[in-house]
Amino acid sequence: MSKRLLAHAALLGANLIYGVNYSVAKWIMPDYVSPFALVVMRAFGGVLLFWTFASLGVKEKVKRKDLYRLALCGMFGVAFNQMMFLAGLNFTTPIDASIIMTANPIVVLVAALVLLGERITWRKTLGIILGGMGAILLITSAGKISLDSEHFIGNLLMLGNTSSYAMYLVLVKPLMKKYHPLTVIKWVFLFGSFIIIPVGFHQFTLTDFSTFTPEVWLSIGYVVIFTTFLAYLLNIVAMKWVSPTLASTYIYSQPVIASIVAIIMVQDQLTWLKVISTALVFAGVYFVNLAGQRQSIKKQKINQQVSKPPI
């Protein structure tokens, strides 16, 4: 399996996990655990798991100048991202949250242009438009986006969440050229926990663990082990070989994955609308991936010309 194909498989796996997480996290909040208490659990679990696994085989020193970028990644990719996601989801609906998350690739595209000098090509633009259309079409087929004032704060927090994660994807990309994925993600979570734990620790201490049923513990386990550890690891591994724009485009696959799972579990039916939506999503990913491949080929040719000795 080529590295690029492996990256696609990792991104698909991560977004499969994220697609299920909307319903799991929404079910346990706020009846069993508050949003910030759950974020503290994710921070504790993430730091413990990433540092443990990294210590087993990845011993790599990080340059002092890169610690500042890692701290920014921890702030945007872990602290702000997780706190605003769970707090926002607590005050809005999964449908609202899913639609707002489709703005992520657009923010990534602009941030990559400003911070990395990544060109905005017509293929990337077309891919993002097609993917966004497919995702929104599929999401709205399951219900309507809410315009109630009670959901305004939640929707605003979800917009902050998607913008924060977009910044993380762009900021972390240069680090992937220097270090092992586990080295990067363990530091990202450590710095993120420095913000999360002081902010959410009080709510964590107020959690009544005696009310937790086996189903609640399993749900928390899913959020910590799968959504936090495994999904972040799969994403960071993929970022080693693909652009932030392509990685963000995979967010469009989340409603598709949720729909497929529902059909397999006989909770939903296959319709032409779902087929068309799925085709649009994968067409969007294809065009963004094609743009990335063409840019990589151009860079390789330029590098070969520069390195070629004069005759």
Side-chain angles (χ1 to χ4, degrees):
M1 183 181 291
S2 69
K3 291 179 179 179
R4 196 168 183 86
L5 189 59
L6 181 64
H8 281 283
L11 288 170
L12 192 61
N15 282 278
L16 171 61
I17 293 169
Y18 288 139
V20 176
N21 186 59
Y22 283 98
S23 298
V24 174
K26 183 69 176 178
W27 179 68
I28 57 178
M29 295 187 308
D31 295 337
Y32 294 101
V33 60
S34 67
F36 279 13
L38 186 57
V39 172
V40 169
M41 294 178 192
R42 294 186 68 179
F44 272 126
V47 170
L48 179 63
L49 289 168
F50 285 123
W51 279 82
T52 300
F53 273 81
S55 67
L56 296 177
V58 182
K59 300 187 184 297
E60 202 173 27
K61 288 187 177 181
V62 174
K63 293 180 180 179
R64 181 174 294 182
K65 65 177 183 178
D66 290 328
L67 289 174
Y68 299 110
R69 183 176 283 267
L70 284 165
L72 286 174
C73 289
M75 182 172 67
F76 285 109
V78 177
F80 293 170
N81 170 43
Q82 292 188 16
M83 287 191 293
M84 285 191 284
F85 174 77
L86 292 177
L89 192 60
N90 192 42
F91 294 110
T92 190
T93 66
I95 289 175
D96 284 30
S98 298
I99 291 176
I100 292 167
M101 289 295 285
T102 61
N104 181 268
I106 299 170
V107 180
V108 169
L109 193 68
V110 175
L113 171 68
V114 175
L115 299 177
L116 301 180
E118 195 176 286
R119 289 179 57 216
I120 297 179
T121 65
W122 70 267
R123 288 185 180 85
K124 285 183 182 179
T125 305
L126 177 62
I128 288 173
I129 292 172
L130 289 175
M133 286 172 57
I136 292 172
L137 189 64
L138 188 57
I139 293 165
T140 52
S141 70
K144 295 180 179 179
I145 188 168
S146 172
L147 299 177
D148 294 342
S149 58
E150 64 181 288
H151 294 148
F152 176 76
I153 296 297
N155 290 340
L156 196 62
L157 286 168
M158 292 306 300
L159 184 60
N161 155 253
T162 193
S163 300
S164 179
Y165 192 70
M167 286 297 297
Y168 160 71
L169 288 176
V170 175
L171 287 168
V172 82
K173 179 60 179 178
L175 295 169
M176 301 313 301
K177 297 177 181 178
K178 297 182 178 182
Y179 305 108
H180 189 280
L182 274 173
T183 300
V184 173
I185 199 65
K186 76 174 186 179
W187 282 104
V188 167
F189 258 82
L190 183 64
F191 282 120
S193 68
F194 290 159
I195 301 172
I196 288 173
I197 293 173
V199 172
F201 191 74
H202 177 66
Q203 284 197 16
F204 176 77
T205 59
L206 297 177
T207 304
D208 187 1
F209 292 98
S210 65
T211 64
F212 283 18
T213 63
E215 291 79 12
V216 174
W217 281 114
L218 285 172
S219 297
I220 291 174
Y222 178 88
V223 172
V224 172
I225 296 172
F226 286 89
T227 309
T228 305
F229 174 69
L230 189 55
Y232 267 89
L233 183 59
L234 289 171
N235 261 324
I236 204 72
V237 167
M239 287 296 293
K240 190 86 174 174
W241 301 299
V242 300
S243 69
T245 307
L246 178 58
S248 67
T249 307
Y250 262 87
I251 198 170
Y252 295 146
S253 68
Q254 290 181 18
V256 174
I257 291 168
S259 183
I260 291 172
V261 171
I263 291 168
I264 292 173
M265 296 178 67
V266 199
Q267 296 176 343
D268 201 354
Q269 294 180 338
L270 183 65
T271 64
W272 278 109
L273 181 61
K274 291 182 175 64
V275 173
I276 294 170
S277 300
T278 302
L280 285 170
V281 167
F282 283 104
V285 173
Y286 168 77
F287 277 108
V288 175
N289 181 53
L290 184 62
Q293 287 180 326
R294 286 180 176 270
Q295 285 185 337
S296 297
I297 292 171
K298 286 182 180 179
K299 285 181 181 179
Q300 288 175 1
K301 288 181 178 180
I302 292 171
N303 291 335
Q304 287 174 357
Q305 290 174 355
V306 171
S307 61
K308 187 177 179 180
I311 299 174

